[in-house]
Amino acid sequence: MGKRMIRSSNPSKDTSSTPSTKRKAEKSATVSERSVRRSTRLNGGEKMDEAGFQNEERKRNKQAAKKTTAAKKTTTAKKTTAKKASTKKTTPSPTPTSALPPPLPRTLETRILSTPPTLHCIGVDEAGRGPLAGPLVCAAFTCLPNHKPIQGVTDSKQLTSEDDREAVFDSITSCPDVKFCVAVIDRQTIDGLNILQATMLGMRMACNCLISDSGGERAPNVGIEGCYTYYVNNEKGGKKGKKGGGKDKKNTDKENEEKEKDDTWYALVDGNRYPSIRDNDTDEVKETPDILCPGSFVIKGDGKEYCIAAASVLAKVTRDKLMREYDEMYPEYGLGKHKGYGTKMHCEAIYKHGVLDIH
């Protein structure tokens, strides 16, 4: 009792004759024959050994894997493109002013306008004192007391993108409650006076044009010779001044010498000196006229006061437009890129092609 029956296998029994074993053998023989035929076909009709066949199989597998990966990448790229397209259609694009910095405060201007009899405050700035080529541009800007500050009106040097400066410029020039004047001083006048006195002259021209409500209507372009002003009055009831230019400047200066200062205007000038008929150092009387209103200078004012910053943008963008026009006339100098400043590219062009009339 308790003994277990152990079934012993018969070693002498032949298992190769079972149906399942026969089917496996037939299948293996069929696969082997197919492999031989395939290797023979791949090897140009000659039989291939097992190692060669395995190498060919690996090559074929690699090629198939590459094709699969490429197909996946193409499909993924198509899906990404379609997703971006759908996003662009559904998501509204941000307004151009969304990325612009906030406008500067009107601190000094508000204080000045609260002091009788001042009714108007002018911001004055320039562009083009440092370049080797091109004109000097000075701008004077004023606006109504209830003017809503424009987004992005700050120091033009802080607006590093040319598109941003253009957008702010367009907003200023199209605003219905501002008026401004731009004075352009040519290279000959700069060489005759020196850059400092040319800057003082340009600031006087721009301010006096604004105060006297007169000036040229022709927008600055390279076809106008000599020094000239461009005046725009967008204030309600305002209108553009009479046509004028560099030829009329001397007559206007003589008229300004006879006029008394208008105390209802006050000018804030960027820099460390206020343009005057007298030299700030020697107190000698100059031939050029004085500004027709009282005022003061503000050191680094284009980064502090709204009206000066607006003048800074007007002067900078106006000059850039002029330099792009010069670039079309003299493409080998690259004036549209460096705007006349003394870059390596500009100096090499001068050395190679010579000096122009605007240098």
Side-chain angles (χ1 to χ4, degrees), residues 81-194:
T81 305
K83 188 175 181 180
K84 287 183 179 179
S86 62
T87 305
K88 286 183 180 179
K89 291 179 181 178
T90 56
T91 305
S93 57
T95 56
T97 58
S98 61
L100 295 174
L104 292 179
R106 302 173 68 181
T107 308
L108 291 176
E109 181 183 357
T110 303
R111 190 184 308 165
I112 290 167
L113 292 177
S114 63
T115 306
T118 306
L119 301 176
H120 311 280
C121 185
I122 306 174
V124 189
D125 200 3
E126 51 75 30
R129 290 188 65 176
L132 303 179
L136 171 72
V137 178
C138 300
F141 167 91
T142 188
C143 59
L144 296 175
N146 60 350
H147 166 72
K148 182 180 178 181
I150 298 170
Q151 187 79 2
V153 175
T154 183
D155 181 6
S156 61
K157 293 184 287 295
Q158 301 300 321
L159 299 171
T160 55
S161 169
E162 193 166 331
D163 292 337
D164 289 347
R165 291 195 296 269
E166 292 280 353
V168 177
F169 178 87
D170 292 339
S171 299
I172 295 173
T173 55
S174 61
C175 185
D177 52 3
V178 308
K179 62 179 181 178
F180 63 90
C181 181
V182 175
V184 180
I185 309 298
D186 64 353
R187 191 270 306 167
Q188 289 80 1
T189 304
I190 296 173
D191 289 347
L193 293 176
N194 73 47

Side-chain angles (χ1 to χ4, degrees), residues 86 101 114 130 134 197 205 208 210 223 228 243 283 310 315 339-340 357:
S86 62
S114 63
Q197 293 305 322
M205 288 173 60
N208 293 343
L210 204 61
Y228 59 93
K243 292 182 179 180
D283 202 36
K339 304 299 186 297
D357 289 338

Side-chain angles (χ1 to χ4, degrees), residues 343-355:
T343 63
K344 180 180 179 181
M345 175 186 180
H346 190 188
C347 294
E348 289 176 350
I350 294 174
Y351 180 80
K352 182 178 180 180
H353 303 288
V355 177

Side-chain angles (χ1 to χ4, degrees), residues 131 133 162 316 319-320 323-324 334-341:
E162 193 166 331
K316 172 65 175 173
R319 189 180 183 281
D320 286 352
M323 296 311 295
R324 285 196 293 270
L335 299 172
K337 295 181 179 179
H338 50 69
K339 304 299 186 297
Y341 284 86

Side-chain angles (χ1 to χ4, degrees), residues 238-289:
K239 57 183 180 179
K240 290 185 178 181
K242 298 179 180 180
K243 292 182 179 180
K247 294 181 180 179
D248 299 331
K249 179 179 68 65
K250 292 183 179 180
N251 295 333
T252 304
D253 289 351
K254 289 181 180 179
E255 294 175 2
N256 291 336
E257 287 179 359
E258 300 173 359
K259 291 182 180 180
E260 296 182 358
K261 288 190 176 184
D262 188 346
D263 291 337
T264 61
W265 291 81
Y266 193 93
L268 293 174
V269 179
D270 180 57
N272 59 1
R273 64 178 65 201
Y274 184 77
S276 172
I277 196 170
R278 296 181 181 273
D279 187 275
N280 291 355
D281 297 326
T282 63
D283 202 36
E284 294 179 357
V285 178
K286 298 293 181 181
E287 296 180 358
T288 52

Side-chain angles (χ1 to χ4, degrees), residues 215-236:
E217 286 185 339
R218 294 180 62 189
N221 63 82
V222 296
I224 304 177
E225 297 180 358
C227 302
Y228 59 93
T229 56
Y230 170 61
Y231 172 65
V232 175
N233 184 358
N234 288 337
E235 291 182 356
K236 295 179 180 179

